[in-house]
Amino acid sequence: MKNTFSEQLNGLRIENNLTRSQLAEKLNVSVRLISYWENGQRECDFDMLIKIADLFSVSIDYLLGRKEY
């Protein structure tokens, strides 16, 4: 099963010209955790999902691959 969240997060980070380190700083998490999310090795919790959606001004549905922005 393809992990849409990991693909969406990676794409948004790149579109916004952020390094993993910069994104980690904005979300107050480790660079390793960003890497885990982008590689589909871990999932974030609901509160972090909301924080990511707000940071990139997208919907949670978009992050989860349910619809466009």
Side-chain angles (χ1 to χ4, degrees):
M1 181 176 153
K2 141 178 140 168
N3 186 336
T4 304
F5 171 72
S6 63
E7 294 172 359
Q8 300 295 67
L9 180 61
N10 181 263
L12 286 167
R13 179 179 61 77
I14 291 169
E15 283 176 27
N16 286 274
N17 299 311
L18 294 172
T19 64
R20 284 182 175 166
S21 180
Q22 290 168 327
L23 180 56
E25 188 175 320
K26 289 180 179 295
L27 296 174
N28 199 30
V29 298
S30 70
V31 175
R32 180 174 287 177
L33 188 54
I34 299 294
S35 180
Y36 285 151
W37 291 340
E38 288 189 355
N39 290 314
Q41 296 172 317
R42 295 215 180 136
E43 296 177 354
C44 66
D45 61 27
F46 294 129
D47 290 336
M48 186 57 66
L49 197 58
I50 292 167
K51 194 171 182 179
I52 294 167
D54 288 347
L55 175 67
F56 291 114
S57 298
V58 297
S59 69
I60 290 172
D61 278 347
Y62 176 79
L63 285 174
L64 299 178
R66 293 176 46 96
K67 69 177 187 176
E68 300 279 325
Y69 285 86

